[in-house]
Amino acid sequence: MTTQVDFSSPRIAILGGGPGGYEAAMVAASLGAKVTIIERAGLGGSAVLTDVVPSKTLIATADLMTRVSEADELGVKFDDTASKPHADLKHINDRVLNLARGQSKDIRDGLERLGVEIVIGSGKLLDSNTIEVLTLEGTRTIEADSILLAVGAHPRELPTAKPDGERILNWAQIYNLDELPEELIVVGSGVTGAEFASAYNGLGSKVTLISSRDQVLPGEDTDAAKLLEGVFERRGVRVLSRSRANAVERTDDGVKVTLGDGSVVTGSHCLVCVGSIPNTAGIGLEEAGVALTESGHIKVDGVSRTTAPNIYAAGDCTGVFALASVAAMQGRIAIAHFMGDGVKPLKLNQVASNIFTSPEIASVGVSEADLASGKYQGDVVMLSLLSNARAKMRNTKDGFVKIIARKGSGTVIGGVVVGPNASELIFPISVAVTQKLHVDDVASAFTVYPSLTGSISEAARRLHVHM
């Protein structure tokens, strides 16, 4: 017997309150659905409470300290020339966590205003239409016409480097510190490791970054990675390339990290950033018919459907891109598809991302590695910010703009921006990629003079082909 869904007011249950969950809840409620969202920690999930919001707040403080330390070159003098800014880590982390809690409350208030029911507890699927929730008050069963899984992920741990929350830390625990680590060892040179290495270097820690690959940020734009390595070297970050951490142990007054070649690196603290594991175990996925990949992620298609009827999934638990923006988009797409609203499948070649190091590294669309592999044919122009008037005024020494256009047609298919506020500057290139704009469309739009966006326009002009 086929269950009839009342699409004038369908029941939607969302397991997980992170970006994939709460954004979907807002869309569903605005479309007239009866929405219940189940979250065990707090609205916003790890993105708001322990990951994105806290880390970027910390990074904002570190970035300010970096700019202050270079202020002398702009003619800014301090009365006490011997005085240098220092990081009050307890104050910083208190602000970080307060801001995260405030953002979580704002999300909850917004959901409640839309009529979304919020249930705090741990949920488990009983079938493709039912979630059992364990709350402080007891067990509750929630029936739904459709279910969205947005259960997120948690930090991956090495069996030989178990976090203790004091000296050996994962990225969710580091905000518990009251004093700045004197010597911080960061294991892992991916996005998370590079961001924390950059941030704590800016705050004043002596940082060692252990990378098992040839470059920091493996898989990212090679020019950007090389530039960041140069900045790290200039600012005193020690990068150990092609070095694998075999074990991390606590000592009497710090930590020691044993590398694959048997050598030992010592420091006061160690931050382990070696990826994440999806929160897909023990929540009834098999019973409901939801298939997983070998890595334990939920299999989804372009409109966020799983292999089970009525069940969708969004966010880090799907293994698509571990980005809050992608999670939110997946959640919105899922709701639109279920509700019969206008929907376009997720297009990964249009995803813009940013690495919040100093300088920031933003990218979108096709990469130069894609061109080198023969997957795409394109032309590339890269302009250093050293020639940009606004960059000179701000004493910006590190950065560039790169635009990739399809060979022959001149359509913008990718780009990279490295520099201050690259997360903001990538947007015009992202619009161009998404809307399939020609390089001449970008070049003919007015930019402010002086501005960093002027380099984006200039790069596009240099890709013009005379007909």
Side-chain angles (χ1 to χ4, degrees):
M1 179 178 177
T2 303
T3 302
Q4 296 296 317
V5 179
D6 177 12
F7 279 99
S8 65
S9 189
R11 301 166 301 167
I12 296 177
I14 300 173
L15 185 57
Y22 75 76
E23 289 267 359
M26 290 178 177
V27 171
S30 68
L31 292 174
K34 295 179 179 178
V35 185
T36 301
I37 189 165
I38 302 142
E39 167 59 39
R40 63 185 177 186
L43 273 299
S46 62
V48 169
L49 294 170
T50 60
D51 188 3
V52 182
V53 170
S55 65
K56 279 45 176 181
T57 306
L58 178 83
I59 287 165
T61 300
D63 184 57
L64 177 60
M65 285 192 63
T66 298
R67 285 186 284 135
V68 169
S69 69
E70 298 173 349
D72 183 72
E73 297 181 40
L74 280 77
V76 178
K77 306 296 181 180
F78 297 93
D79 291 338
D80 183 359
T81 56
S83 176
K84 292 183 179 180
H86 69 279
D88 181 345
L89 196 65
K90 185 179 188 311
H91 184 117
I92 292 170
N93 282 340
D94 284 347
R95 176 177 180 268
V96 163
L97 297 177
N98 285 334
L99 193 150
R101 285 190 289 267
Q103 183 69 11
S104 178
K105 182 181 183 300
D106 289 345
I107 293 168
R108 178 169 189 143
D109 291 346
L111 290 170
E112 289 177 340
R113 281 195 298 269
L114 289 169
V116 175
E117 181 186 15
I118 299 168
V119 178
I120 301 299
S122 299
K124 180 179 181 179
L125 293 174
L126 298 182
D127 55 44
S128 60
N129 292 99
T130 312
I131 300 178
E132 182 182 78
V133 186
L134 179 61
T135 72
L136 291 176
E137 292 75 32
T139 301
R140 177 179 170 185
T141 301
I142 296 173
E143 300 282 346
D145 300 308
S146 182
I147 292 172
L148 173 66
L149 303 172
V151 293
H154 62 275
R156 178 171 171 256
E157 294 181 1
L158 299 174
T160 55
K162 289 289 186 181
D164 60 16
E166 296 177 352
R167 294 284 183 174
I168 305 172
L169 308 145
N170 62 36
W171 44 256
Q173 299 169 329
I174 197 158
Y175 309 105
N176 297 328
L177 296 178
D178 287 342
E179 295 184 1
L180 188 71
E182 184 178 344
E183 296 178 302
L184 179 65
I185 302 169
V186 180
V187 176
S189 63
V191 172
T192 303
E195 287 185 344
F196 276 113
S198 178
Y200 273 88
N201 171 251
L203 292 173
S205 293
K206 181 179 178 182
V207 178
T208 298
L209 180 61
I210 298 175
S211 172
S212 62
R213 309 290 282 275
D214 291 336
Q215 68 172 43
V216 299
L217 301 175
E220 300 294 332
D221 182 84
T222 301
D223 292 319
K226 287 180 179 177
L227 186 149
L228 183 62
E229 286 182 345
V231 172
F232 277 172
E233 182 178 359
R234 189 176 77 232
R235 293 178 178 168
V237 176
R238 178 188 179 197
V239 179
L240 301 180
S241 300
R242 297 180 295 279
S243 300
R244 186 174 296 276
N246 278 0
V248 182
E249 302 171 71
R250 186 165 175 169
T251 63
D252 291 340
D253 57 353
V255 295
K256 70 173 184 178
V257 180
T258 304
L259 304 181
D261 61 3
S263 61
V264 173
V265 181
T266 60
S268 62
H269 297 76
C270 181
L271 174 63
V272 181
C273 302
V274 289
S276 60
I277 296 174
N279 297 324
T280 53
I283 60 170
L285 298 184
E286 184 178 350
E287 292 84 345
V290 177
L292 301 178
T293 65
E294 289 186 8
S295 60
H297 293 91
I298 298 172
K299 289 183 179 180
V300 292
D301 63 11
V303 292
S304 306
R305 289 178 298 190
T306 71
T307 54
N310 311 316
I311 298 181
Y312 296 77
D316 291 4
C317 64
T318 67
V320 176
F321 274 162
L323 297 171
S325 58
V326 171
M329 184 66 78
Q330 286 180 296
R332 291 192 294 264
I333 288 173
I335 296 302
H337 184 268
F338 174 71
M339 297 285 288
D341 201 11
V343 62
K344 293 181 180 179
L346 181 67
K347 296 182 179 179
L348 297 180
N349 62 354
Q350 295 178 356
V351 173
S353 62
N354 191 70
I355 302 167
F356 289 85
T357 48
S358 179
E360 293 182 9
I361 300 171
S363 59
V364 65
V366 172
S367 67
E368 278 200 273
D370 292 329
L371 301 185
S373 70
K375 187 177 179 181
Y376 294 89
Q377 301 296 314
D379 297 309
V380 183
V381 163
M382 185 173 84
L383 290 181
S384 171
L385 291 183
L386 287 174
S387 62
N388 181 285
R390 185 67 185 277
K392 291 176 182 177
M393 296 170 192
R394 297 178 57 169
N395 197 36
T396 297
K397 300 184 180 71
D398 308 295
F400 64 78
V401 168
K402 179 185 293 185
I403 295 181
I404 302 173
R406 191 180 298 277
K407 188 174 288 295
S409 72
T411 304
V412 179
I413 56 176
V416 180
V417 179
V418 179
N421 303 114
S423 51
E424 311 290 346
L425 295 171
I426 196 66
F427 184 64
I429 304 177
S430 181
V431 171
V433 169
T434 302
Q435 299 302 320
K436 299 180 174 59
L437 299 183
H438 192 276
V439 289
D440 292 349
D441 296 322
V442 177
S444 62
F446 276 95
T447 59
V448 171
Y449 182 85
S451 69
L452 297 182
T453 52
S455 290
I456 296 175
S457 179
E458 176 63 22
R461 278 194 292 276
R462 295 194 184 189
L463 284 164
H464 170 77
V465 178
H466 180 66
M467 303 301 290

